[in-house]
Amino acid sequence: MHLLVIEDDPRLVRLLRRLLEEDRHLVETATTGRDGLEIAEAATGVEAIILDIGLPDISGLEVARRIRAVGSEVAILMLTARDTVGDRVTGLDAGADDYLVKPFAYEELAARLRALGRRGMGARRPEPKLVAGPIVLDETSRRVTLDGRSIDLSPREFSLLECLLRHPGQTLSRDQLLDQAWPFSVAVTPNAVDAYVHYLREKLGAAGRLIETVRGVGYRLADA
């Protein structure tokens, strides 16, 4: 999943990022409510927000209300140190989908995220076609076309392109792309990503310029 963590405790943010990325999630973070709202509005494809109620500027309750006010259906999992029935009801009424009390076990957080993902598959199911300029990727038929002409991609090339198309404008590290495109059972190094991006660019021709290299980090799909 593509996740946004809004939490003001830097140690907890670092821990959650590490554990969530180990579970193959794409993770963005913010330590204030305002920064979190900016990311939520600007980021494409965020599927769930892990939101602390006790933020230093505006409360997590207000963040949730503003997210819902613009019609967003992104899943929201609220974190709080308060555990009364009234607190839980207030959080859910503000727009949260679920509620987790601190301190919590990471295994429970992970299970709740999986449940939110399953629950949202129908209502927030992504479009089966991903488009960037002349590139169209049809997830249902596993087919990629360029200006209406079908191009032949290997399974790895297809998975790399799908990951980039799902997160336009977002810089993805080589390790993140590895997790998306290669099974865990396959022994492969980050250098393999560079090689397959090269193959992918060649097959995309002029449209290959949309895959930008972010030096020292990885790759990004530019705006068409």
Side-chain angles (χ1 to χ4, degrees), residues 125 127-129 137-143 158:
R125 190 176 186 86
E127 290 295 321
K129 289 186 178 180
L137 183 148
D138 189 323
E139 296 177 288
T140 304
S141 64
R142 302 283 295 178
R143 180 169 174 258
F158 184 95

Side-chain angles (χ1 to χ4, degrees), residues 171-188:
T171 298
L172 301 174
S173 70
R174 289 173 176 80
D175 285 338
Q176 287 174 317
L177 290 168
L178 275 176
D179 287 345
Q180 294 291 322
W182 276 266
F184 280 128
S185 58
V186 176
V188 65

Side-chain angles (χ1 to χ4, degrees), residues 137 142 154-164 177 180-182:
L137 183 148
R142 302 283 295 178
S154 72
R156 299 286 75 76
E157 292 163 351
F158 184 95
S159 295
L160 278 174
L161 181 60
E162 180 181 21
C163 185
L164 290 164
L177 290 168
Q180 294 291 322
W182 276 266

